[in-house]
Amino acid sequence: GIQVEQSPPDLILQEGANSTLRCNFSDSVNNLQWFHQNPWGQLINLFYIPSGTKQNGRLSATTVATERYSLLYISSSQTTDSGVYFCACGVTSGSRLTFGEGTQLTVNP
Amino acid sequence: KAGVTQTPRYLIKTRGQQVTLSCSPISGHRSVSWYQQTPGQGLQFLFEYFSETQRNKGNFPGRFSGRQFSNSRSEMNVSTLELGDSALYLCASSTEGLTEAFFGQGTRLTVV
C-alpha cells in the first residue's frame, strides 16, 4: 500500500515564526488532506488538496502530485497552533485514508 | 449543519467484554470510515461502509466488526476486548469516493 512520510517529526517554534511541514507519498493519490489534531483528539480539517495550492488565513498548502509531496505552511505562528499535524492520502476508490506519523508542533510564547 | 457525532465519548471496559461504538455522519454523507489511533501504531484504517455495505477493510482481526444502517449511521463492535484495544476510535464521513472526509470527536476506549 501507499506509504506516507511526514517531516519533521517534532518542531518547536517561538510565537511569530513561520514553519513548513512536509508530506511525501509513495504513489499517485486522488485524495490528500491536512488535519490538525486538537488536544481532545478530534481531527480538524485544514485542507483538502490532492493538487495545487490553497490558502486559508495564516495557513497555506501546496501539493505537487507529479513529484509526490505536499507542503503545509504556517505563518506568524501562535500558541494555539500547537498540536499534531497529520497528512493523509487516498489512492483507491472509497474513502480509505493512509495517515503519516504526524508532526508535533509546539509554539512557545 | 451538524458535524459527525460519535457516542459515547469515553468508555472503560474489562478484558474479555465487548463494546459497541456509534457514529452518525454528516447529513447527506453515505460513506462512513473507522480508524484506530494508538501511540504505538498511529492512525490506522479499520473499515469503510457505503450504502450499508462494507467497501474496504483494514488489517484488523475479526474481533473488529461494523455495520451501517439505512440512515447511514454506523456502529463498530469489538468483541473479546484485549488491553491492546485501548485507543481513540475515530469515525469519518464523506459524500462518496475520494472526497473530503470529516471526522468526529472520537471515542476513547480504555480496556482494564
Side-chain angles (χ1 to χ4, degrees):
Chain A
I2 187 173
Q3 305 296 316
V4 180
E5 295 182 354
Q6 292 185 242
S7 60
D10 297 280
L11 187 58
I12 301 175
L13 302 172
Q14 287 299 122
E15 201 166 25
N18 302 328
S19 62
T20 301
L21 282 59
R22 188 177 179 101
C23 172
N24 292 332
F25 42 94
S26 62
D27 204 348
S28 298
V29 298
N30 292 315
N31 182 358
L32 190 145
Q33 292 185 241
W34 284 97
F35 297 93
H36 178 208
Q37 189 164 40
N38 69 20
W40 298 273
Q42 186 171 10
L43 291 172
I44 306 300
N45 289 44
L46 297 177
F47 294 102
Y48 170 71
I49 189 166
S51 64
T53 298
K54 291 185 178 180
Q55 180 156 9
N56 184 6
R58 297 183 295 104
L59 273 60
S60 64
T62 295
T63 297
V64 184
T66 54
E67 297 187 22
R68 301 182 183 171
Y69 72 89
S70 182
L71 302 174
L72 176 68
Y73 306 96
I74 304 174
S75 65
S76 304
S77 58
Q78 301 175 358
T79 56
T80 52
D81 294 331
S82 296
V84 184
Y85 290 79
F86 287 101
C87 168
C89 300
V91 299
T92 61
S93 62
S95 302
R96 176 176 187 157
L97 291 173
T98 299
F99 282 80
E101 293 294 308
T103 292
Q104 173 75 59
L105 174 65
T106 302
V107 181
N108 293 321
Chain B
K1 207 173 196 181
V4 180
T5 303
Q6 291 188 244
T7 56
R9 294 288 312 280
Y10 302 92
L11 209 47
I12 300 175
K13 289 287 188 179
T14 304
R15 267 184 307 173
Q17 287 186 314
Q18 74 165 15
V19 66
T20 300
L21 312 182
S22 178
C23 173
S24 293
I26 292 171
S27 177
H29 286 193
R30 294 164 62 191
S31 171
V32 174
S33 300
W34 289 89
Y35 295 81
Q36 181 196 65
Q37 185 177 25
T38 60
Q41 299 297 318
L43 274 151
Q44 293 188 292
F45 172 80
L46 280 157
F47 29 65
E48 182 217 358
Y49 286 86
F50 181 81
S51 292
E52 302 180 63
T53 301
Q54 187 180 86
R55 189 159 65 174
N56 278 298
K57 188 176 188 307
N59 189 26
F60 278 83
R63 299 185 297 107
F64 292 81
S65 63
R67 60 178 174 169
Q68 187 179 35
F69 301 95
S70 58
N71 62 357
S72 295
R73 188 177 72 85
S74 177
E75 290 181 347
M76 69 162 280
N77 183 275
V78 187
S79 62
T80 319
L81 284 165
E82 301 177 359
L83 295 179
D85 297 333
S86 295
L88 178 66
Y89 290 88
L90 292 163
C91 161
S93 81
S94 60
T95 50
E96 182 174 352
L98 293 167
T99 60
E100 188 172 9
F102 295 86
F103 282 79
Q105 294 177 295
T107 294
R108 194 167 295 277
L109 171 66
T110 302
V111 182
V112 297

